[in-house]
Amino acid sequence: MRRGLPRKFGELELQILNVLWERGPSRVREVLDALLVRPRPAYTTVLTMMRLMHEKGYLDRRQQGRAHVYHTKLREGPTKRSLLRQLVGTAFRGSAEAAVVGLLEDEALSGGELARIKKLIDQKEKGG
């Protein structure tokens, strides 16, 4: 597996990773059925992408009957934090404040999401 994370993931790569983080080891058909992207990609597109992700070292696979069962080799938390740091560094010129303000101004956050955000801010202010 490569050291570190790639500079960028494509949208379909991220969708595949999200499915595998949520569902665990899955066949291509299962991943395809769980994808949220529209229009829905062809089976062969997802198969090719997962093969390429395997070659890049992001996924591992094992043979099960005539199919492969894939699982991610990347941990969700560190991968998403790295992507977020890259986004903040480039799109927001390194300003986490600008990123958070942008989200709060533009996104329709639920009461539960706002409560969790407030709780995290309170913990950070208390040194946690």
Side-chain angles (χ1 to χ4, degrees):
M1 184 158 118
R2 285 184 176 179
R3 290 204 175 273
L5 296 172
R7 293 195 55 72
K8 290 183 181 180
F9 286 105
E11 181 180 349
L12 184 55
E13 286 177 309
L14 282 172
Q15 288 284 337
I16 289 168
L17 287 171
N18 278 321
V19 168
L20 292 172
W21 284 324
E22 182 180 318
R23 296 177 54 97
S26 303
R27 293 180 178 89
V28 174
R29 174 62 62 192
E30 295 167 330
V31 170
L32 175 62
D33 290 345
L35 286 175
L36 300 176
V37 293
R38 298 291 177 252
R40 191 169 182 196
Y43 175 88
T44 54
T45 301
V46 176
L47 173 64
T48 299
M49 181 61 67
M50 291 177 73
R51 283 183 184 162
L52 290 171
M53 292 172 73
H54 176 259
E55 290 172 12
K56 291 176 182 179
Y58 308 152
L59 303 180
D60 206 353
R61 67 183 183 201
R62 62 179 162 75
Q63 190 79 31
Q64 190 174 59
R66 293 180 55 196
H68 283 109
V69 175
Y70 288 85
H71 68 273
T72 179
K73 293 171 75 175
L74 302 175
R75 293 185 13 236
E76 183 176 10
T79 301
K80 288 183 175 180
R81 282 190 295 276
S82 176
L83 291 169
L84 187 56
R85 279 192 300 276
Q86 290 173 17
L87 179 66
V88 169
T90 55
F92 297 95
R93 297 184 178 184
S95 172
E97 176 190 4
V100 171
V101 168
L103 282 171
L104 292 172
E105 288 178 346
D106 291 339
E107 292 297 319
L109 300 172
S110 70
E113 289 171 323
L114 285 171
R116 286 190 296 279
I117 291 168
K118 287 177 187 175
K119 183 177 176 181
L120 285 170
I121 291 170
D122 290 343
Q123 288 173 347
K124 286 288 185 181
E125 286 178 335
K126 293 176 183 174

